[in-house]
Amino acid sequence: MFLQTAKYVLGAAGCIPTTKPQCYKKSTNPDDDFYCEWDDPNPKENQTYTLYIWDSGKKSVLYMNTGNQSKKFIPLEELGVISSKTDIWVQTQVRNLTCNSSKISVILNCSVKYSKPNIASMERSAGNLFLSLDEPKDNKSVIYEIRWRERGSEWQNATFETKENTYKDLYTLHLHNRTVYQIQLRRQAKLHSLQCNDSHSLWSDWSALTDIPLEIHIPPVLHLDEKVWSNGTRDIKITWAATSAEETIGGVTYNMNLSVWSCGKPKRIQLSTLNQTFDISVTYSNASISIIATNKVGRSAPKKIIIPPVKHRNECVTFTNITKAKKRCLEWYKMEDGEILPNSVKKSKDKLIKHIKNEVQKFVRHYYILHIFSKQHQTAEMCPFYSIEGAPIKGPGGVNTTDLTHESVVLNWRHIPMAEQRGFLKHYIIWISGHGKTKLHKVPADKTSFLIKNLHPGTSYTISIAGKTIAGKGPNTTVNTETHSKEKGLSWQDQTILSVCVVAFLCTFICSFAARRFKRKLCPVVPSPVVDAAEFIYPQDQDLSQITEEVHEFVLLLRQELNKSTENVAPGQSTILQNFGLVVFEEEEEEGEEGEVTDLSFMKSCFYPNPSYRGKTLQLPENFHLTDSPIKDNDTESTYRNGLFFETKVQECDKTSL
């Protein structure tokens, strides 16, 4: 008993049973073989599996197979009749230990498991996701389960059925228009046998997790860089910006159609999302490029651009030797005013230039371009041509005159339209008639203006212009004009005189200014009185507006018979006042004081003081004095001291004024 218990514990610890086995066929076809599979929870151990299929009705083993694989293929011939219910289990052996899995009871004929569905294609538009799924190989109706979610959110589930015998299983899922989703699908067989029901069929495995990007709304924006070589080729670099991150999920491819060889079919190129640039060499002729961006759920609108041809030449040009060319392509077309008429472009691999010249319309300019291919596509020749040339049928347009003077005028015009030239213009002919003479000038065909000189003042002229080809000249276009009678404005002599006058005036002004400055340095200016600002105290509310300087005059009268003693003159007063009497009148008497007025009746003077002066002693400079020289009438003498200026003057009445 003890030995049996120990063996059981050892077996439980060393042998781990597998999961329940699943035995099925991959379609509803009764002749299909079967598959059985299970999961091994301990795959590291060296284990042996024995699959048992037991017929419950006959009480016998239908099938038994031993091996070390967790999946078995069972041919139908080895099972025999399997219409009854069977029990199926797996026995696992590890060394000398064995253990059994749980049993399942199924009718093998009803056990169907489809392969996991595959999304053949999908398209997203206006909030709808249109799915196209591959059908199972028996083309029967199928039950699908689909689940979807925004990234990082919970799954949402739905089921739907499809019809049998259809090319693809289709389903439409409604989603938010500008949101990225993830989806998965699985499917189950729909059984119609009486002994079977849907519970016997198995769900397939889930399909791979699929990201659903946004649809591409805006086609790629192309940028072209062109480099023209002198050998008849051009290098074209095409670049474009990537689509948005939400549109690029799952990858983007760019499908390009290139038409770079005029006589061949467009070349198709498919580029991956890693390439957003493309280089190609083209000829001098026009080329077309279209590009479409494609992701998992659709494609953008096509973006097509035309690479224009190089500028047309007015003469024939050869770029390379055509003798070693492997392929040739000649294209020609009608031109009007330098533009290509698209409907008139013709192409040929076999025709020569001499052949096409006999086919085109007379008097109409055409253009041909010869392309070759040796190592690359390139242009060999390009040339304008006429089959037959004629004279122009119309004269230049817009003829007018400008910049008219007394001896010259400028003639302007527009080119003759190409369709009316009927040949290559060699030059323009201009006739000038006036003053009894006619002059002729030839102007290059690429000019649109001409200066006519050596005309006579005040003379009427008739000017005509016409274009000329190798076949002759065309109609004239005429304009009349009249030169000025005299030159308007200043002649060069007048301009010279005016310039000299201006220079002389400037020199005079500069010299005068310099002389004034020099004079100021030699002759000092009488200084202004020095006023000490500290002696004045201004009230804060005093009006400090600008006032004008007031000049007061006063008169000193000589007193001939003055007996009054001058001993009481205060120090600081000048002794000059001892012999003069200053008579001053008070304007008004101050309160508490009495004013006096000196009697002047005994004084003879021709000047009398202004009665508005106040009676105060005049303070004079210490060195102020009268000269002892003989004084004549109206003689003056000036004295300056401490910022004060004194002037003495003798009047007719022999009185001194100050």
Side-chain angles (χ1 to χ4, degrees):
M1 182 68 179
F2 175 77
L3 292 175
Q4 292 179 353
T5 303
K7 183 178 180 179
Y8 176 78
V9 173
L10 180 62
C15 181
I16 302 175
T18 65
T19 60
K20 292 181 181 181
Q22 283 188 345
C23 293
Y24 57 86
K25 55 184 179 179
K26 293 185 177 181
S27 71
T28 58
N29 191 341
D31 297 330
D32 276 359
D33 298 322
F34 286 85
Y35 297 86
C36 289
E37 59 185 8
W38 56 88
D39 292 332
D40 184 3
N42 191 20
K44 295 182 180 180
E45 292 289 342
N46 187 14
Q47 301 176 120
T48 302
Y49 306 105
T50 302
L51 175 65
Y52 291 94
I53 301 178
W54 176 265
D55 190 341
S56 301
K58 297 180 179 180
K59 306 295 184 182
S60 61
V61 176
L62 289 178
Y63 180 82
M64 183 181 68
N65 184 273
T66 301
N68 56 6
Q69 301 294 326
S70 60
K71 187 174 183 178
K72 300 289 185 181
F73 169 70
I74 306 173
L76 181 62
E77 293 80 6
E78 295 184 14
L79 291 176
V81 181
I82 51 175
S83 58
S84 59
K85 182 176 290 189
T86 57
D87 295 333
I88 305 173
W89 72 92
V90 176
Q91 184 183 76
T92 304
Q93 181 177 356
V94 182
R95 295 184 295 275
N96 59 346
L97 302 177
T98 60
C99 53
N100 296 328
S101 68
S102 301
K103 295 181 180 180
I104 61 169
S105 296
V106 295
I107 300 175
L108 286 177
N109 226 9
C110 299
S111 183
V112 178
K113 182 180 180 181
Y114 285 139
S115 61
K116 60 184 179 182
N118 180 45
I119 301 175
S121 64
M122 53 185 172
E123 183 177 352
R124 191 170 182 176
S125 176
N128 294 320
L129 178 65
F130 303 97
L131 297 173
S132 178
L133 310 172
D134 65 326
E135 283 193 335
K137 64 179 183 178
D138 56 8
N139 291 330
K140 299 294 184 180
S141 60
V142 181
I143 301 172
Y144 282 91
E145 181 180 7
I146 183 172
R147 61 182 184 181
W148 69 95
R149 68 179 180 184
E150 297 181 24
R151 287 180 168 182
S153 61
E154 297 294 328
W155 287 105
Q156 301 180 61
N157 294 65
T159 58
F160 61 94
E161 294 185 14
T162 60
K163 298 179 180 180
E164 58 183 57
N165 297 324
T166 57
Y167 175 69
K168 295 291 182 182
D169 290 339
L170 304 177
Y171 181 68
T172 301
L173 179 64
H174 300 286
L175 303 173
H176 293 296
N177 193 26
R178 304 300 296 174
T179 305
V180 177
Y181 286 91
Q182 295 176 319
I183 64 169
Q184 282 185 303
L185 295 103
R186 64 178 183 174
R187 54 190 172 189
Q188 182 185 51
K190 188 174 182 180
L191 305 176
H192 301 283
S193 174
L194 294 177
Q195 62 179 358
C196 301
N197 55 55
D198 294 338
S199 62
H200 291 88
S201 63
L202 303 174
W203 282 104
S204 70
D205 296 333
W206 285 102
S207 64
L209 186 65
T210 304
D211 292 313
I212 309 298
L214 303 183
E215 56 183 320
I216 302 176
H217 288 280
I218 302 175
V221 178
L222 302 181
H223 301 279
L224 299 181
D225 291 326
E226 178 187 47
K227 186 172 184 179
V228 181
W229 300 99
S230 60
N231 62 348
T233 62
R234 294 180 290 168
D235 288 342
I236 306 296
K237 186 179 185 65
I238 309 169
T239 57
W240 59 90
T243 57
S244 65
E246 292 80 6
E247 297 172 346
T248 312
I249 293 174
V252 175
T253 57
Y254 297 93
N255 299 312
M256 300 184 67
N257 287 332
L258 306 176
S259 178
V260 297
W261 179 248
S262 301
C263 298
K265 295 181 179 180
K267 183 180 180 181
R268 295 185 178 181
I269 299 176
Q270 184 170 345
L271 304 175
S272 67
T273 185
L274 298 178
N275 296 322
Q276 294 168 13
T277 181
F278 183 75
D279 298 322
I280 190 171
S281 178
V282 300
T283 65
Y284 281 0
S285 183
N286 64 326
S288 63
I289 298 175
S290 65
I291 184 170
I292 299 175
T294 305
N295 64 2
K296 284 185 176 181
V297 295
R299 58 177 55 190
S300 68
K303 180 67 175 181
K304 184 176 182 179
I305 58 174
I306 301 296
I307 303 175
V310 297
K311 186 177 180 180
H312 291 96
R313 309 293 181 91
N314 293 325
E315 68 283 344
C316 296
V317 182
T318 301
F319 302 104
T320 186
N321 191 356
I322 64 175
T323 56
K324 298 181 180 180
K326 297 179 181 178
K327 293 190 298 183
R328 295 163 51 99
C329 178
L330 181 64
E331 61 176 335
W332 66 97
Y333 40 81
K334 179 181 177 181
M335 296 184 64
E336 288 188 3
D337 293 331
E339 299 297 329
I340 301 173
L341 299 180
N343 296 331
S344 67
V345 178
K346 297 180 180 180
K347 305 171 186 178
S348 175
K349 298 179 181 179
D350 305 319
K351 289 185 178 182
L352 300 177
I353 298 172
K354 63 181 181 180
H355 297 151
I356 64 173
K357 286 186 176 181
N358 299 326
E359 298 178 2
V360 299
Q361 186 179 354
K362 297 179 181 180
F363 312 121
V364 176
R365 184 176 298 187
H366 288 74
Y367 206 89
Y368 77 79
I369 304 179
L370 177 62
H371 309 292
I372 63 171
F373 177 80
S374 54
K375 295 182 179 180
Q376 61 180 345
H377 297 102
Q378 61 185 127
T379 298
E381 294 179 4
M382 54 193 310
C383 182
F385 70 97
Y386 286 89
S387 62
I388 297 178
E389 292 189 60
I393 60 174
K394 188 177 180 180
V399 178
N400 64 85
T401 57
T402 57
D403 300 333
L404 183 65
T405 68
H406 69 289
E407 61 180 1
S408 65
V409 67
V410 175
L411 182 68
N412 305 285
W413 65 90
R414 294 194 302 267
H415 284 302
I416 302 173
M418 184 177 294
E420 297 168 348
Q421 292 179 13
R422 295 168 62 86
F424 295 108
L425 283 180
K426 300 176 69 64
H427 51 257
Y428 289 102
I429 302 176
I430 299 176
W431 295 269
I432 304 100
S433 299
H435 202 67
K437 296 180 181 180
T438 299
K439 296 182 181 180
L440 183 144
H441 297 277
K442 293 181 180 180
V443 181
D446 59 342
K447 301 296 183 180
T448 57
S449 65
F450 180 70
L451 174 62
I452 304 173
K453 298 183 293 184
N454 300 323
L455 302 179
H456 292 274
T459 304
S460 296
Y461 286 91
T462 299
I463 305 174
S464 301
I465 182 172
K468 184 179 180 181
T469 66
I470 194 173
K473 73 177 186 66
N476 299 340
T477 303
T478 302
V479 65
N480 296 317
T481 187
E482 182 177 353
T483 56
H484 296 310
S485 58
K486 61 179 180 178
E487 183 181 12
K488 292 185 177 180
L490 298 177
S491 64
W492 67 271
Q493 297 91 343
D494 294 338
Q495 293 178 0
T496 303
I497 295 174
L498 180 60
S499 301
V500 172
C501 293
V502 171
V503 172
F505 173 76
L506 292 176
C507 292
T508 303
F509 176 79
I510 294 172
C511 293
S512 175
F513 180 77
R516 290 183 181 181
R517 293 181 60 87
F518 183 73
K519 182 178 179 181
R520 289 180 181 177
K521 291 182 179 180
L522 295 179
C523 304
V525 180
V526 177
S528 301
V530 178
V531 180
D532 189 359
E535 296 180 2
F536 300 95
I537 301 177
Y538 300 98
Q540 294 184 355
D541 58 348
Q542 180 177 350
D543 184 9
L544 300 180
S545 59
Q546 185 178 1
I547 60 175
T548 59
E549 181 182 2
E550 295 182 2
V551 179
H552 300 275
E553 294 183 356
F554 57 91
V555 180
L556 291 178
L557 302 180
L558 179 63
R559 301 174 65 175
Q560 300 283 347
E561 300 175 353
L562 185 60
N563 296 323
K564 187 177 179 178
S565 174
T566 59
E567 296 177 357
N568 296 328
V569 178
Q573 295 179 352
S574 175
T575 57
I576 194 174
L577 299 181
Q578 296 177 11
N579 298 323
F580 292 85
L582 176 62
V583 180
V584 186
F585 294 90
E586 296 284 346
E587 284 187 272
E588 53 184 337
E589 296 179 359
E590 296 182 2
E591 187 177 351
E593 296 180 359
E594 293 183 359
E596 296 181 356
V597 179
T598 305
D599 185 7
L600 302 178
S601 60
F602 62 93
M603 300 174 59
K604 296 180 180 180
S605 176
C606 58
F607 294 94
Y608 292 93
N610 191 322
S612 62
Y613 285 103
R614 300 177 181 271
K616 294 184 180 180
T617 304
L618 177 65
Q619 301 290 332
L620 296 177
E622 295 178 359
N623 63 345
F624 184 84
H625 63 278
L626 290 177
T627 61
D628 297 333
S629 59
I631 301 176
K632 300 179 181 180
D633 290 345
N634 296 328
D635 284 350
T636 60
E637 184 177 3
S638 301
T639 303
Y640 177 82
R641 178 70 174 177
N642 293 336
L644 296 178
F645 181 81
F646 295 90
E647 181 180 79
T648 59
K649 185 175 183 181
V650 178
Q651 302 295 341
E652 294 178 357
C653 54
D654 295 327
K655 301 298 185 296
T656 300
S657 65
L658 180 63

